[in-house]
């Protein structure tokens, strides 16, 4: 077994994983709270649908701008500091959002600041989990993905039952504050190791030792595998985001479901994706080569994403949508974790590489769903097929990725 990638037998890694997942859950919870409060917020702030979309997507703007810098900062100063600083800014944003409820400008500023912590975590979680979990990093990333989806589910299913916007935002801010304190107290960038083992890890690029800011970024920037994985991750995220975005409308307009039924079916897809994210890494290990496993999982997801166009209403459609959520979430964690297996990247430069992957992914997710909507217009059946094609494209770049083989 590759000692450089072997997971350290330290039980503290489960505390690290729990904290990372809790921060991911909290970040998505705060962002998706406003989808459940959408009607109330639009009336209170006098917003149209375009203005509301700008508010909701504000954290994604931050991810495009700060993804690479925060990833490089994680390589230079350590992920713990960068994530802690990012979520402190997010906590300030959550407080601003709570105190200035009647100002669209301040609400937008608050959402931008909330996005800083989410971006810091997205650019550095792989570096942290890679150092603590070694060969089991892909499974840890699957749990991370599932936690992110769970945050969305909790926000959409529970926020509407709270008494007021103030109460909803107050709970979100308090949750973020508690988790920030726990991360500062118990978070760690990497486990303590002996001097001999640390020398081995640093020599092989498997340690999270601090790297020069520019040198780390240049190495990640010049690695073709980073860009290929970024493109694959971007097309996966674009397809799944676009699908989730138009599914309720498609079910109402083209299938005759009412809004409650459409919402329940959309929630079913999200719930199934939680189990898919957990099942993807073990399933990929059944294949002799990781790239082959990822390609197969993506192909299965692409078929299931296009399948709703041909499924009749009723139990058949329900089964297809559940299968869609499950299969389309399987490859994402493995693609993200594969950054650690790229030659000349490892854990030492994982922050910079993850920053590039996150930035490209979010940029594509901001563009491709819009282009797909322009092409398909109101043809929802075609839209399902186009999303399947987007997912299919994600498999193409993987054919050119070269990863280190691990047992």
């Amino acid at each position: 077994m590759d000692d450089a990638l072997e997971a350290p037998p330290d039980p503290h890694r489960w505390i690290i994983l729990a904290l990372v997942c809790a921060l991911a859950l909290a970040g998505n919870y705060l962002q998706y709270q406003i989808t459940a409060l959408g009607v109330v917020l639009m009336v209170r702030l006098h917003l149209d649908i375009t203005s509301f979309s700008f508010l909701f997507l504000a954290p994604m703007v931050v991810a495009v701008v700060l993804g690479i810098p925060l990833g490089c900062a994680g390589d230079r100063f350590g992920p713990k500091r960068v994530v802690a600083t990012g979520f402190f800014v997010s906590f300030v944003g959550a407080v601003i959002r709570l105190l200035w409820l009647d100002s669209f400008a301040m609400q937008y500023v608050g959402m931008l600041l909330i996005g800083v912590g989410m971006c810091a975590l997205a650019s550095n979680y792989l570096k942290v989990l890679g150092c603590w979990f070694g060969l089991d990093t892909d499974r840890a990333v699957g749990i991370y993905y599932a936690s992110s989806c769970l945050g969305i589910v909790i926000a959409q299913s529970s926020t509407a039952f709270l008494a007021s916007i103030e109460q909803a935002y107050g709970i979100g801010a308090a949750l973020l504050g508690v988790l920030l304190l726990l991360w500062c107290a118990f978070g760690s960038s990497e486990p303590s190791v002996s001097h001999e083992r640390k020398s081995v890890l640093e020599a092989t690029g498997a340690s999270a030792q601090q790297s020069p800011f520019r040198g780390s970024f240049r190495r990640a920037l010049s690695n073709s595998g980073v860009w290929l994985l970024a493109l694959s991750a971007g097309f996966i995220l674009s397809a799944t985001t676009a699908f989730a975005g138009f599914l309720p409308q498609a079910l109402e307009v083209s299938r005759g479901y009412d809004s409650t039924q459409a919402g329940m079916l959309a929630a079913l897809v999200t719930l199934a994706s939680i189990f898919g994210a957990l099942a993807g890494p073990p399933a990929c290990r059944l294949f002799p080569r990781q790239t082959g496993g990822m390609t197969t999982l993506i192909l299965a997801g692409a078929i299931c994403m296009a399948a709703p166009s041909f499924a009749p209403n009723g139990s058949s459609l329900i089964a297809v949508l559940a299968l869609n959520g499950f299969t389309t979430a399987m490859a994402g964690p493995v693609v993200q974790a594969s950054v650690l297996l790229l030659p000349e990247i490892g854990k030492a430069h994982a922050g910079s590489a993850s920053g590039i992957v996150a930035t490209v992914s979010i940029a594509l997710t901001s563009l491709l769903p819009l282009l797909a909507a322009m092409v398909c217009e109101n043809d929802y059946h075609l839209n399902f097929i186009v999303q399947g094609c987007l997912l299919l494209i994600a498999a193409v770049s993987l054919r050119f990725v070269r990863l280190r083989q691990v047992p």
Side-chain angles (χ1 to χ4, degrees):
M1 181 177 289
D2 185 356
D3 182 63
L5 289 172
E6 186 177 359
D10 190 335
H12 188 68
R13 62 180 181 164
W14 298 110
I15 296 177
I16 298 299
L17 178 60
L19 288 173
V20 168
C21 291
L23 288 171
L25 185 153
N28 279 287
Y29 176 75
L30 263 71
Q31 180 182 1
Y32 279 85
Q33 274 185 318
I34 71 170
T35 63
L37 298 169
V39 175
V40 179
L41 282 172
M42 290 175 71
V43 172
R44 184 162 183 168
L45 297 174
H46 308 290
L47 304 179
D48 56 21
I49 188 64
T50 302
S51 299
F52 178 78
S53 297
F54 272 106
L55 187 64
F56 172 68
L57 295 175
M60 298 180 69
V61 175
V62 175
V64 173
V65 175
L66 296 182
I68 293 176
L70 289 176
C72 294
D75 287 338
R76 178 63 184 90
F77 302 106
K80 180 179 179 178
R81 293 180 184 178
V82 174
V83 172
T85 303
F87 272 98
F88 175 77
V89 174
S90 291
F91 176 71
V92 173
V95 173
I96 289 175
R97 194 175 69 161
L98 175 62
L99 296 179
W100 282 276
L101 277 171
D102 295 315
S103 169
F104 172 76
M106 296 305 292
Q107 288 293 303
Y108 189 76
V109 169
M111 289 297 290
L112 286 174
L113 296 181
I114 287 172
V116 174
M118 298 167 65
C119 181
L121 184 65
S123 298
N124 288 279
Y125 80 91
L126 187 59
K127 188 179 182 75
V128 175
L129 298 182
C131 288
W132 283 93
F133 283 85
L135 292 173
D136 290 323
T137 298
D138 55 353
R139 295 180 179 177
V141 173
I143 298 173
Y144 170 88
Y145 263 64
S147 300
S148 298
C149 294
L150 184 60
I152 298 173
V153 172
I154 294 174
Q156 293 178 332
S157 62
S158 66
T159 302
F161 294 100
L162 298 177
S164 63
I165 300 177
E166 290 85 352
Q167 185 181 34
Y169 281 1
I171 290 174
L175 174 64
L176 206 58
V178 170
L179 290 176
L180 174 60
L181 293 176
L182 291 174
W183 175 256
C184 292
F186 301 105
S188 179
S189 297
E190 62 179 331
S192 300
V193 296
S194 66
H195 177 74
E196 293 77 8
R197 177 171 171 78
K198 186 173 183 179
S199 298
V200 173
L201 294 174
E202 292 179 355
T204 55
S207 173
Q209 81 276 11
Q210 295 176 358
S211 304
F213 187 95
R214 292 183 180 177
S216 181
F217 175 63
R218 287 174 180 171
R219 178 170 292 197
L221 191 66
S222 63
N223 190 291
S224 61
V226 172
W227 291 98
L228 291 170
L229 289 176
L231 288 173
S232 181
F235 275 97
I236 291 173
L237 186 59
S238 296
T240 53
T241 300
F243 185 90
F246 78 83
L247 179 60
Q249 299 95 305
L251 293 174
E252 289 184 56
V253 175
S254 67
R255 295 303 185 99
Y257 288 96
D258 61 36
S259 58
T260 301
Q261 293 171 326
M264 292 178 63
L265 289 174
L268 173 65
V269 175
T270 304
L271 286 172
S273 68
I274 294 176
F275 295 99
L278 295 174
C284 194
R285 293 190 179 196
L286 299 176
F287 295 83
R289 296 184 65 85
Q290 183 155 308
T291 51
M294 291 188 290
T295 301
T296 303
L297 295 179
I298 290 174
L299 292 177
I303 294 172
C304 292
M305 184 161 278
S309 287
F310 311 100
N313 283 8
S315 57
S316 297
L317 182 60
I318 294 173
V320 166
L321 290 176
L323 194 59
N324 172 287
F326 183 82
T327 56
T328 55
M330 295 179 78
V334 188
V335 172
Q336 293 278 356
S338 295
V339 170
L340 296 171
L341 299 179
L342 290 170
E344 300 182 353
I345 296 298
K347 301 181 185 72
H349 309 288
S352 300
S354 296
I356 292 174
V357 172
T359 299
V360 172
S361 298
I362 297 299
L364 288 175
T365 305
S366 302
L367 176 64
L368 292 179
L370 178 61
L371 294 177
M374 293 172 61
V375 170
C376 301
E377 295 182 341
N378 294 323
D379 190 339
Y380 291 105
H381 294 286
L382 178 60
N383 218 321
F384 285 122
I385 297 174
V386 169
Q387 305 315 324
C389 291
L390 286 178
L391 195 57
L392 191 64
I393 295 173
V396 176
S397 61
L398 292 178
R399 304 305 299 168
F400 303 98
V401 176
R402 297 292 177 264
L403 303 176
R404 291 182 298 198
Q405 289 297 108
V406 295

